[in-house]
Amino acid sequence: MTPDSAEAKFIMMTETPVERLVCRMAGPTIIIMLISSLYNMADTYFVGSLGTSATGGVGVVFSLMAVIQATGFFFGQGAGSYIARALGSHHMERASGMAATGVISALLCGGTITLLGLTWLKPLARFLGATDTILPYACDYLFYILIGAPWMTTSLALNNLLRFQGSAFYSMIGMVSGALLNVILDPLFIFVFHMGVSGASLATMLSQFLSFSLLLAGCARSGNVRIDPRQFTPRLSVYREILRGGAPSMCRQIISSVGTLCINRVAGGYGDAAIAAMSIVQRVMMFANSAMLGFGQGFQPVCGFNYGAGRYDRVLRAFWFFMRVAFLILLVAGMTGFIFAPQIIALFRKDDPAVIAVGTTALRFQCATFATMSWITPANMMLQVIGKSLRATSLALARQGLFLIPILFILTHFFGVRGLQMSQSVADIATVILSASLATGVLREMASGRGKPEDVVSPENLPEE
């Protein structure tokens, strides 16, 4: 990154009207999230034609994919949030060192997941909740997903690094290209080459490798921080900074994986149809939530740059703008999902009435409380980006950990399958109350001008400029 391009980006991020800037940053990231969610939606859709057990096989692997994604987001969000604050404070060399460390660490961790997963493939599938009938499909799907784990973790890290620098366009090109390739390869491998569930996972692996390649190339363009392996700095102090910014994402993704695992295990007591139905609902809700998350990812670099520059007024304006837009998006999405729930579930398993019945009720429960995410997500993203790691991590753990898991077991004990269907909605109500208590104090501090710019970067942690 040259000094001139860095200064131009700094001026753009700290002087452009906030609402216009967030929308400019959010346009590509919304597309990224919508298209990227097709990775999972496409696999579920095409595999659905192979039967309920095959759909369940893809569903149980979803919790492992959340772990893989958690690893990529941990290094990407951790390094990226630091880089945004560092660029806002004109610490270019430190941003470069953090970028190299985050990306290479993500690649190494992805490789570790591959080795461990392939070594214990069948026990892993059992642990994820596969029943005897689902086990063969789960193992077939796991194989190529595990082989592609290094590219998945690294592409997600690169995606976040580009976003936090305000270069969402290059992030969009990489992620969207991979997702579109996945949609093309899925039916080709599954039906033309008769690879079944293995074909779906192979398509995902190849698509992720394409994303990785394009995202890496994007880091060398348009004033972005380059990934230079010579600046890899595997020091404890550096990983402490990554942990500070990445822990909320890691915890959110890991606890999401644990929550999904618990749902699969509880649903298994009601048969393969319940597992398939709940996995479909989770994919549908992820897709519905993706536009709001994409808008939030446009908010994050604006928040980080301006917090680093001490412009707390712009951080607050961006936060409230994000919340209002998110509420409108989620309200419309929730109403649509509630009304058309049977038709949505039938898109994936139209020939199985049991799947449709369980899935319809679960989807309607979640749609009824969907708009609560318009406070939960902005609060979590804001706390994470400005370095309030403890509060952000606590909030990240709450929705699908602190609240969902105990609520799931309590409600299913008293209400059976109906408790399974309503557990996420009850957890969402509890989470929105907690998020209000965690974020309100920080918002008041910034409103009074009492932010902490000295915490933006830690000069001793990265190489001197």
Side-chain angles (χ1 to χ4, degrees):
M1 176 180 287
T2 64
D4 288 344
S5 61
E7 184 61 26
K9 183 168 288 188
F10 176 84
I11 293 172
M12 177 189 75
M13 297 296 288
T14 57
E15 295 186 11
T16 303
V18 165
E19 293 80 5
R20 188 198 313 165
L21 183 61
V22 171
C23 290
R24 182 192 303 175
M25 296 290 105
T29 57
I30 290 173
I31 295 173
I32 290 169
M33 292 302 299
L34 287 171
I35 298 297
S36 295
S37 64
L38 290 176
Y39 275 118
N40 294 322
M41 293 283 285
D43 286 353
T44 303
Y45 178 79
F46 290 114
V47 169
S49 64
L50 302 177
T52 298
S53 294
T55 303
V58 174
V60 299
V61 177
F62 186 63
S63 55
L64 176 69
M65 293 184 70
V67 173
I68 294 172
Q69 292 168 353
T71 305
F73 272 102
F74 170 72
F75 289 106
Q77 293 266 4
S81 60
Y82 181 94
I83 288 169
R85 298 193 305 271
L87 294 176
S89 301
H90 296 288
H91 292 292
M92 309 306 170
E93 188 65 27
R94 291 169 189 157
S96 298
M98 181 60 80
T101 305
V103 169
I104 294 175
S105 298
L107 181 64
L108 294 174
C109 286
T112 302
I113 293 173
T114 298
L115 292 175
L116 294 176
L118 292 177
T119 301
W120 290 287
L121 182 64
K122 187 174 289 187
L124 176 60
R126 286 284 192 189
F127 177 75
L128 294 174
T131 63
D132 288 338
T133 50
I134 286 175
L135 182 63
Y137 299 102
C139 289
D140 286 346
Y141 193 74
L142 266 174
F143 181 74
Y144 288 112
I145 294 298
L146 286 168
I147 290 178
W151 318 124
M152 293 182 188
T153 55
T154 311
S155 63
L156 286 169
L158 290 167
N159 171 39
N160 280 281
L161 293 187
L162 287 168
R163 284 195 308 101
F164 276 104
Q165 296 174 70
S167 295
F169 175 78
Y170 293 104
S171 177
M172 178 186 69
I173 294 298
M175 299 302 290
V176 170
S177 297
L180 293 177
L181 180 63
N182 189 50
V183 173
I184 294 171
L185 293 182
D186 258 345
L188 181 66
F189 288 164
I190 294 173
F191 304 120
V192 178
F193 296 155
H194 305 290
M195 294 180 65
V197 173
S198 294
S201 61
L202 177 59
T204 299
M205 185 197 76
L206 295 175
S207 302
Q208 289 283 358
F209 184 76
L210 174 64
S211 292
F212 161 76
S213 302
L214 293 175
L215 289 166
L216 186 61
C219 288
R221 300 179 64 87
S222 191
N224 293 314
V225 175
R226 293 175 179 269
I227 309 301
D228 185 353
R230 294 171 298 180
Q231 293 186 297
F232 178 50
T233 315
R235 293 203 302 264
L236 180 61
S237 56
V238 177
Y239 286 118
R240 189 182 299 120
E241 288 294 327
I242 293 177
L243 179 65
R244 184 185 182 194
S249 290
M250 171 67 85
C251 291
R252 182 169 51 250
Q253 292 286 337
I254 291 291
I255 206 65
S256 173
S257 177
V258 174
T260 300
L261 176 63
C262 292
I263 288 174
N264 288 334
R265 286 186 170 273
V266 171
Y270 303 100
D272 287 2
I275 295 178
M278 295 307 296
S279 69
I280 290 170
V281 170
Q282 290 177 77
R283 305 296 177 95
V284 169
M285 294 307 295
M286 176 181 291
F287 182 79
N289 200 31
S290 59
M292 190 267 294
L293 290 175
F295 197 85
Q297 290 177 355
F299 156 78
Q300 285 180 305
V302 178
C303 178
F305 260 85
N306 285 280
Y307 190 80
R311 294 295 307 276
Y312 307 128
D313 59 320
R314 289 173 60 82
V315 175
L316 289 170
R317 282 178 56 195
F319 174 84
W320 293 115
F321 178 64
F322 175 20
M323 196 194 73
R324 290 194 299 270
V325 172
F327 178 77
L328 293 175
I329 292 173
L330 296 183
L331 183 64
V332 172
M335 292 174 61
T336 303
F338 191 94
I339 294 170
F340 297 103
Q343 293 84 354
I344 292 172
I345 302 299
L347 287 173
F348 299 91
R349 287 299 298 139
K350 62 182 178 181
D351 297 326
D352 195 327
V355 172
I356 295 174
V358 174
T360 295
T361 302
L363 182 58
R364 280 179 168 162
F365 269 118
Q366 293 197 32
C367 286
T369 58
F370 199 28
T372 60
M373 296 299 294
S374 64
W375 173 264
I376 296 169
T377 300
N380 203 349
M381 286 183 168
M382 183 264 298
L383 291 171
Q384 180 177 359
V385 172
I386 67 175
K388 305 293 184 181
S389 182
L390 181 60
R391 296 190 189 202
T393 302
S394 299
L395 184 53
L397 287 170
R399 182 173 181 254
Q400 291 184 293
L402 176 64
F403 296 129
L404 174 64
I405 294 174
I407 286 171
L408 172 67
F409 287 104
I410 292 170
L411 292 183
T412 52
H413 175 76
F414 288 104
F415 302 107
V417 69
R418 182 57 54 87
L420 171 69
Q421 295 164 321
M422 66 190 295
S423 56
Q424 184 66 73
S425 296
V426 177
D428 287 348
I429 294 171
T431 305
V432 75
I433 297 172
L434 176 64
S435 65
S437 65
L438 291 175
T440 301
V442 176
L443 293 170
R444 286 175 178 169
E445 283 182 4
M446 286 192 285
S448 63
R450 290 185 289 114
K452 297 182 179 180
E454 69 273 13
D455 290 342
V456 170
V457 294
S458 300
E460 72 277 8
N461 286 344
L462 291 174
E464 291 295 332
E465 296 178 275

